[in-house]
Amino acid sequence: MQNEPAHNKVRVEARGVALAYGKTQVLRDINLMVEPGEFFALLGPSGSGKSTLLRLIAGFNIAQAGSILIDGRDITAVPPWQRDVGMVFQSYALWPHMTVAQNVAFGLEERRLSRDEVKRRTQAALDLVGLGEFAARRPNQLSGGQQQRVALARTIAIEPKVLLLDEPLSNLDARLRVRMRHELTLLQKKLGITTIFVTHDQEEALTTSDRIAVMDQGVIQQVGTPTQLYDSPANRFVAEFVGTINLLAGSIESETAATAMFMSPDLGRFSLPRSGDMPEHGPVQLLFRPHAARVRTAPDGDDALWIPGTLVTREFLGESVRYGVETRAGMLIADRPHLSGEPDYAPGQAVHLGISASQLRVLKT
Ligand code: ADP
């Protein structure tokens, strides 16, 4: 089975998985479907259960309930070394006394492959990660990024059907992280291997992954493409964890077929176009992203919700400027692209924030 090529893409599935350490419930009713060849991220804050779920798929953890399936086969009771999964750890776990090639070859020798096959696969894996020239070095003669690639090569060399990555970039400095995440995405696409990637960094998840499961407190909050999560967060947690968001509390008072009347205790009434998934009545929150807010000295259009306020902070971010605006509904954030001709504003100035109805999303609270 180990000799099957990595392009034999498989689906990974978790069904009703629950896991507790003593009284601490770490994973609750996890249902997940990772499609063949997908680059799939588990994203969530520290302690949300991401690594526990990854280790469960690898076979290092045992769940109290539920099952794990690879390619439709229930592998819940199969030990890690018979699961055809490869895992790259945050720490890389390289042997310091072995050369790069020996580190990569180690797992292959354990699988009792012929000497020629070990050599061939070792070289191929090192070439793939761009370290063909470094085979004779020891890990301490490599940079952090190179060590990370050795760890990746070692895992790829065993040609697993599933690649599991546990915060593989978190030991690298900011610049290298960005470069490596790009390389990782290219490599994954080249290999086509089903990949599950654990990260607490939303930007990393959004830039690398085909789809993402957002986790909090052992529960999957939402699964979607980066765009779906960003544009249509299922709940407040996802809205706040993926990107920056503004929230306006209020309620839906009445509605017609085409519109709903939103009532904010701070801002008054505002008519919204109805959308299919909008709650009918009761308390809701209106959500909008900072770049959806126009900053003006006075309202300049009536398609939008206009919120008066005082600009209190201005942060120059290069591509954009971020304003903090104190309003009756609390502090709101507005981003404007830094383009010539765009008006700028200074702290202390009275402004209006305009948000087009199409940019507002309604969430039930
Ligand atoms: P994440 O990867 O999202 O940071 P983890 O899966 O590592 O989260 O941990 C989830 C929760 O499970 C945490 O509260 C952690 O303290 C707890 N936990 C993890 N491993 C163990 C263990 N071996 N024994 C007891 N508690 C654990």
Side-chain angles (χ1 to χ4, degrees):
M1 199 189 282
Q2 283 126 12
N3 291 322
E4 283 178 21
H7 59 252
N8 181 10
K9 299 176 186 178
V10 299
R11 175 177 286 122
V12 179
E13 217 180 319
R15 286 190 191 159
V17 166
L19 185 150
Y21 290 113
K23 287 200 177 106
T24 313
Q25 195 68 40
V26 177
L27 297 175
R28 302 159 199 261
D29 193 26
I30 300 284
N31 291 287
L32 199 63
M33 182 88 94
V34 180
E35 298 298 334
E38 229 179 354
F39 197 134
F40 192 95
L42 301 176
L43 171 69
S46 176
S48 54
K50 310 178 297 289
S51 295
T52 304
L53 179 55
L54 198 75
R55 295 174 60 83
L56 196 70
I57 296 167
F60 300 133
N61 284 341
I62 307 291
Q64 276 92 20
S67 46
I68 302 288
L69 292 88
I70 294 183
D71 216 10
R73 188 166 80 100
D74 189 331
I75 53 143
T76 313
V78 174
W81 57 92
Q82 288 174 3
R83 286 192 178 196
D84 255 337
V85 302
M87 184 144 162
V88 176
F89 298 91
Q90 193 174 338
S91 61
Y92 315 147
L94 300 177
W95 298 105
H97 60 285
M98 290 185 188
T99 64
V100 164
Q102 285 165 342
N103 264 284
V104 175
F106 188 77
L108 299 172
E109 281 158 0
E110 275 197 322
R111 283 171 163 73
R112 303 187 191 289
L113 300 176
S114 74
R115 191 178 272 215
D116 282 351
E117 182 68 3
V118 169
K119 212 169 157 190
R120 187 190 66 76
R121 284 217 221 166
T122 299
Q123 197 57 45
L126 285 174
D127 287 342
L128 205 55
V129 299
L131 286 180
E133 308 289 304
F134 294 78
R137 292 219 193 161
R138 292 192 197 282
N140 67 5
Q141 296 170 315
L142 300 176
S143 71
Q146 289 167 337
Q147 289 181 33
Q148 205 280 335
R149 281 191 246 160
V150 178
L152 202 55
R154 183 180 54 183
T155 305
I156 290 167
I158 61 169
E159 295 178 359
K161 286 185 176 167
V162 182
L163 185 59
L164 304 176
L165 307 169
D166 192 358
E167 301 258 7
L169 309 179
S170 63
N171 282 340
L172 306 176
D173 67 51
R175 280 181 89 87
L176 198 52
R177 275 183 90 129
V178 172
R179 212 181 77 207
M180 284 302 294
R181 80 181 183 213
H182 181 64
E183 284 185 15
L184 196 58
T185 316
L186 292 178
L187 183 63
Q188 193 271 342
K189 289 285 166 266
K190 193 148 112 191
L191 294 171
I193 184 173
T194 309
T195 300
I196 307 178
F197 176 71
V198 160
T199 180
H200 64 272
D201 181 330
Q202 50 118 353
E203 189 180 300
E204 209 162 271
L206 292 176
T207 51
T208 56
S209 310
D210 297 314
R211 286 193 308 148
I212 301 168
V214 180
M215 294 183 68
D216 185 40
Q217 297 182 28
V219 176
I220 293 181
Q221 303 290 329
Q222 188 174 2
V223 179
T225 64
T227 313
Q228 284 168 346
L229 296 179
Y230 192 82
D231 288 347
S232 310
N235 56 40
R236 184 171 173 168
F237 178 82
V238 176
E240 291 187 312
F241 196 76
V242 180
T244 304
I245 196 91
N246 291 300
L247 297 164
L248 300 173
S251 57
I252 299 284
E253 276 192 334
S254 60
E255 70 218 308
T256 66
T259 61
M261 187 58 77
F262 173 75
M263 210 314 259
S264 154
D266 310 304
L267 305 169
R269 289 184 171 75
F270 178 67
S271 174
L272 297 166
R274 269 200 66 76
S275 64
D277 57 350
M278 197 181 274
E280 302 222 321
H281 283 286
V284 294
Q285 272 175 324
L286 285 193
L287 271 56
F288 64 94
R289 297 287 178 190
H291 63 262
R294 277 173 276 160
V295 187
R296 300 286 185 266
T297 46
D300 70 355
D302 52 10
D303 66 320
L305 169 63
W306 285 99
I307 306 173
T310 306
L311 201 142
V312 288
T313 58
R314 176 188 179 276
E315 285 174 12
F316 181 67
L317 301 167
E319 297 93 345
S320 62
V321 183
R322 170 160 290 189
Y323 301 114
V325 178
E326 189 61 50
T327 72
R328 286 202 298 273
M331 179 74 104
L332 299 174
I333 296 171
D335 286 348
R336 119 181 130 68
H338 177 54
L339 293 170
S340 59
E342 282 282 317
D344 200 356
Y345 302 91
Q349 229 175 316
V351 293
H352 282 74
L353 297 182
I355 307 105
S356 299
S358 65
Q359 300 301 315
L360 288 162
R361 185 169 162 80
V362 182
L363 265 192
K364 203 172 178 129
T365 44

